[in-house]
Amino acid sequence: MSNLFGIPNIEGINDFSNKTNISSYTLFKMSSKPDLNYKKVLIPKNLGRGTRVLACPSYKLKAIQAWILRNILDNIQSHRNATAYNGKSLDVNLKGHVGNKFLICIDIVNFFPSTKRERVYDLFKSLGYNEQSAIMLTKFCTFEGGLPQGGVTSPALSNLINKDLDDEISKYCNAKSIAYTRYADDITISSNNKNKLDEALKYIEKVIQGHGYQINRDKTRHLHPGKQRKITGLVYSNDQKVGIGRRKRRILRSKIYNYENKEKFSSESTMIYNQIIGWLSFLKSVDSESYKYLKTYWKTLRNNDLETEVAATKQDK
């Protein structure tokens, strides 16, 4: 097998067993009926819009997928316009559209399950794996004929498999001076020319269908100045700044206030504290302005608490 990508050779199940330290018998048994290695879990969607089905791999299968991700998939470069799952911060997906007034957000229906087993097999074959190994790796990475939403390898595979889709759309958009990004199943295009975007939408729908997907037309959003332009959880403001938006910032400010004044000594204080720290960590990479504001606000509350405690101590004396 060619090793042009810097990935390990795998000549078959015995070779894979040696590399993963999992017995050939276990690997054979798991790959013979791969769908039995998953548990379906229903999780609620945002704003109570029904539920989403996650196919969660078993502990052993998760370990196998983690090995495949770390040793194979992470070594292959995805398309530059695919902004999810490749170490880029979330704001990169939106910053590519800064300067454009009009945006269209496109949602792909059932993105992971619609990425079929055959395409996963074709990817592993294209990396140089022989038929036996490509079939085995495909079985470990697919569920009910497609990528499992919940699989360790699904995000990386979806990016690599759709390199051609990204390339086709990118070339069209570049020729039309339209910005294009794809964050998993969310495609965003933008321009200062609304008519160009409307034409691009028709073209992109044909490309998406040609790659085995369908657009969810009910979720297609046309965004423009004067209307909140929210994409993948971030807001693109009229002054061309990218962040979490004023509403979310007020909510986080209130959460910090409530923690310092009500919840600091409650039974759930550790959980609430960790939630706030988690949000601040997220903000540091995607919205530095809100991060600095909220960090300063929290520090101010804590200083006030300290001054109150010092004053109370002096009165006691």
Side-chain angles (χ1 to χ4, degrees), residues 222-236:
H222 296 254
L223 308 178
H224 52 79
K227 181 178 183 180
Q228 188 186 59
R229 293 174 290 183
K230 191 173 184 180
I231 305 168
T232 55
L234 296 178
V235 175
Y236 176 30

Side-chain angles (χ1 to χ4, degrees), residues 93-160:
N93 185 64
L94 191 46
K95 282 184 175 178
H97 301 277
V98 170
N100 291 334
K101 294 180 181 179
F102 305 101
L103 301 93
I104 297 180
C105 298
I106 304 162
D107 178 81
I108 299 176
V109 179
N110 295 324
F111 179 61
F112 284 124
S114 297
T115 307
K116 297 302 181 184
R117 178 187 292 125
E118 294 76 17
R119 299 183 69 195
V120 179
Y121 169 80
D122 289 342
L123 174 69
F124 284 121
K125 283 287 288 181
S126 73
L127 298 179
Y129 289 108
N130 62 35
E131 185 172 357
Q132 181 186 1
S133 295
I135 290 172
M136 176 187 66
L137 292 170
T138 298
K139 285 182 175 180
F140 285 133
C141 295
T142 55
F143 172 70
E144 294 184 346
L147 291 180
Q149 182 139 1
V152 176
T153 49
S154 293
L157 281 170
S158 71
N159 272 351
L160 297 176

